[in-house]
Amino acid sequence: MIRRLILSYVALVAVALAAFTVPVAFTLTAQLRGDTEESVRREATTMALLLGDGDAPARQALARMAGAYADETPGRVEVVAADGRSAVEPLPLPAHPDDPAFGAALKQGRTTVDWGSRLVWGPELVVTVPAFARREASAGDTRGRAEREDGRQGEGGAEDGRQGEGGAEDEAAGEPAPAEHIVGAVRVRYATADLSDRLWRIWGFRAILAVGVLAVAAGLGAIVARLLTKPLRQLNDMASRFGDGDLTARSPVTGPQETQTLARTLNQGAERLDTLVASQRIFVADASHQLRTPLTALRLSLDNIADGVDDEFVREDVDQATAEVVRMSRLVSGLLVLARAEAKVSAPEPLALRELVEERLKVWRPAADERGVTIVLTGEADDLPRVLAGPGNLDQVLDNVLSNALEVSPDRGTITVRVETAGPEEAVLEVLDQGPGMSAAEQARAFDRFWRGQGLTGRSGSGLGLAIVKQLVTDDGGGVALRDAPGGGLCVRIALRTAAEGPRWISPRPGAPRSGG
């Protein structure tokens, strides 16, 4: 969203720049072209008037003016006589006196302007002006011709039509006055290199200015976009934490009125949901705690009954009832552990993983020996980093996993416990059994609460063991997964954070996901 806001802001500024700067640049280009053309035409007309005077002083003045023009400007002057083939003393004859522009000036008395290109302009501007003279020239006639010539150019009485590439432009002036005749033509060739440089400066300056303005607009747009989207990012952060199970997440009530209203609504919903979940959790914990005492008393009563009854059928019924009471006790204990794990997550502490595993295996080996099951510890023995886990969490995780592995393992089978590192920040604990294993569908549901698989655990388990494992491991910042063990059976893979990254406090997760291990 920030990117779209920045792009929209920059696009708006770009449109505004184009709307204001491009027309100005075109106007300046047209003005530069028009001023240059007018200046060259004025010089050519002045020299044509000198040529039309016809006397020697005027011709000498024309020669001096043409030389000075060539020295001081990027242009040069060419002059031909009325026949188009002879030079006008003391000026030399042009290289191509018979071109169409000279012909139009000498035969039709038309002034032609050729920019050399249909685009802006070509390499040079060529202006060809005819020179008129009366049969009886006088100073008054010279001034009259000058005034008429200026009238043709300024008032549009003899306005020139523009040619394209090399073509001449007709001057709609009509026929020359009967008292005048054409004595020659003057051409000014003006190089446009300087004009091109000025054109590039006009457009280049505006292009650089536009790029700078767009860069500033992009920077300001980024700042404005981040300010505008900050409330939305806060709401998204709250939603992410909420989705991860942290029902204590709240969003600051900031920003526009709409986002403030949305933040208040979400916070109120989170408060309500947190209250409901906390009430449910308290109820489960209290109920589990209260049920443990009557279940214990019920089991003792059933044991007393079994000791005083000789009837086999009655004894069988009592044993079944006792087994159900045991299973219910396990279920209540699991619910109590799960409720406590969700209610409060203690700070992880650095623990020696291998030492803790060896300690728990000593506890479970006698039960395994009764069934002829061998428990083998493999993996790294030295330099194993310490892992981060809450007090008692890893002990309970190992107990649940080893209990399930022992129950599904066949007699004289093997349970392999492997500890190793999986990178600088992770240690892995794997428990592999030789039981029936699980299908992919069963592995996907194994962490659901109250789900029981095949085998002995499916018959007598509470369905909370792996759910508790996942809850505790996840609270410590780790992860747990199931996979097929090599050669058959199930592999429970537990990934734990190492103490190398330093302990970090984990906020309570009252609304942790209901899926378990």
Side-chain angles (χ1 to χ4, degrees):
M1 183 175 181
I2 293 179
R3 182 180 299 177
R4 292 183 179 179
L5 287 175
I6 295 174
L7 291 177
S8 301
Y9 188 70
V10 172
L12 181 61
V13 174
V15 171
L17 283 174
F20 285 100
T21 60
V22 173
V24 171
F26 274 112
T27 301
L28 291 177
T29 301
Q31 182 179 356
L32 177 62
R33 177 182 172 125
D35 292 345
T36 303
E37 180 179 330
E38 181 180 358
S39 176
V40 174
R41 286 174 62 123
R42 185 182 299 112
E43 297 292 339
T45 301
T46 301
M47 286 184 269
L49 292 176
L50 291 175
L51 178 60
D53 284 342
D55 55 4
R59 301 290 178 88
Q60 293 175 358
L62 173 60
R64 289 193 301 270
M65 185 176 181
Y69 189 79
D71 294 336
E72 297 178 5
T73 67
R76 66 181 188 274
V77 179
E78 299 175 351
V79 180
V80 295
D83 58 3
R85 297 181 180 180
S86 58
V88 176
E89 296 295 340
L91 297 175
L93 186 68
H96 302 283
D98 55 349
D99 61 19
F102 272 130
L106 296 174
K107 297 177 181 179
Q108 304 173 17
R110 288 192 296 117
T111 298
T112 58
V113 179
D114 181 14
W115 282 95
S117 175
R118 291 185 179 273
L119 297 176
V120 183
W121 49 65
E124 63 180 6
L125 168 63
V126 180
V127 177
T128 306
V129 178
F132 298 93
R134 290 182 179 273
R135 291 184 177 85
E136 295 180 358
S138 64
D141 294 336
T142 302
R143 287 193 300 271
R145 286 197 300 272
E147 292 174 357
R148 287 194 298 273
E149 195 68 33
D150 291 339
R152 293 192 189 98
Q153 297 176 21
E155 298 177 3
E159 187 66 29
D160 298 332
R162 304 267 174 87
Q163 282 187 337
E165 298 180 0
E169 302 181 4
D170 296 332
E171 181 183 11
E175 296 296 330
E180 296 178 339
H181 66 279
I182 299 173
V183 297
V186 177
R187 169 182 289 170
V188 176
R189 292 183 178 273
Y190 188 86
T192 58
D194 291 343
L195 293 180
S196 299
D197 292 340
R198 294 176 63 184
L199 180 67
W200 280 112
R201 285 196 296 270
I202 290 173
W203 286 92
F205 171 75
R206 280 154 181 79
I208 295 174
L209 180 62
V211 172
V213 171
L214 290 178
V216 174
L220 293 177
I223 296 174
V224 173
R226 293 192 65 84
L227 290 177
L228 290 177
T229 58
K230 182 178 179 180
L232 297 179
R233 294 198 306 273
Q234 293 173 341
L235 290 173
N236 181 70
D237 180 64
M238 173 198 169
S240 298
R241 293 170 56 194
F242 205 76
D244 290 338
D246 185 5
L247 298 186
T248 63
R250 299 293 182 269
S251 175
V253 182
T254 58
Q257 185 63 36
E258 294 78 4
T259 56
Q260 291 183 17
T261 302
L262 179 58
R264 292 192 189 96
T265 303
L266 290 178
N267 289 340
Q268 291 173 0
E271 289 284 351
R272 179 61 176 166
L273 184 59
D274 189 15
T275 302
L276 293 176
V277 173
S279 301
Q280 181 185 17
R281 195 163 46 244
I282 293 173
F283 169 77
V284 172
D286 291 344
S288 300
H289 180 74
Q290 295 298 326
L291 286 174
R292 295 179 70 180
T293 301
L295 286 174
T296 301
L298 180 59
R299 181 176 180 180
L300 292 175
S301 299
L302 290 174
D303 289 341
N304 292 332
I305 292 174
D307 292 339
V309 173
D310 295 331
D311 191 337
E312 292 295 331
F313 293 103
V314 176
R315 184 181 296 276
E316 182 178 354
D317 291 339
V318 172
D319 290 341
Q320 291 179 356
T322 302
E324 290 299 321
V325 170
V326 171
R327 191 177 72 84
M328 187 176 295
S329 298
R330 291 180 179 176
L331 180 61
V332 170
S333 298
L335 286 174
L336 183 59
V337 171
L338 198 57
R340 288 174 177 173
E342 291 179 343
K344 182 179 180 181
V345 181
S346 57
E349 300 175 353
L351 299 174
L353 178 59
R354 189 175 182 88
E355 294 178 6
L356 188 144
V357 172
E358 290 176 348
E359 180 182 344
R360 299 315 301 167
L361 292 185
K362 289 179 182 179
V363 176
W364 282 95
R365 276 198 175 99
D369 293 339
E370 290 181 1
R371 297 184 48 203
V373 177
T374 303
I375 300 179
V376 179
L377 176 61
T378 64
E380 301 176 6
D382 300 326
D383 299 330
L384 191 67
R386 300 168 73 86
V387 297
L388 296 174
N393 287 0
L394 196 54
D395 301 58
Q396 195 158 10
V397 167
L398 281 170
D399 289 344
N400 283 336
V401 175
L402 290 173
S403 175
N404 288 345
L406 184 59
E407 289 182 357
V408 300
S409 294
D411 295 340
R412 293 178 297 280
T414 301
I415 297 176
T416 303
V417 180
R418 181 185 303 153
V419 289
E420 58 188 7
T421 58
E425 299 181 354
E426 186 178 75
V428 175
L429 168 65
E430 292 183 339
V431 179
L432 299 86
D433 60 55
Q434 295 178 340
M438 291 185 181
S439 64
E442 290 175 332
Q443 292 179 13
R445 296 194 55 195
F447 296 113
D448 294 342
R449 300 180 183 185
F450 304 109
W451 183 86
R452 293 185 293 172
Q454 302 298 322
L456 185 58
T457 55
R459 296 192 299 271
S460 61
S462 63
L464 292 174
L466 289 179
I468 294 174
V469 168
K470 184 167 185 179
Q471 181 69 51
L472 295 175
V473 172
T474 303
D475 289 341
D476 290 334
V480 60
L482 303 179
R483 61 180 64 177
D484 295 333
L490 185 68
C491 172
V492 181
R493 185 180 189 275
I494 301 171
L496 301 169
R497 293 186 300 125
T498 63
E501 60 177 296
R504 65 183 180 190
W505 293 83
I506 301 179
S507 59
R509 299 178 59 192
R514 292 291 177 178
S515 60

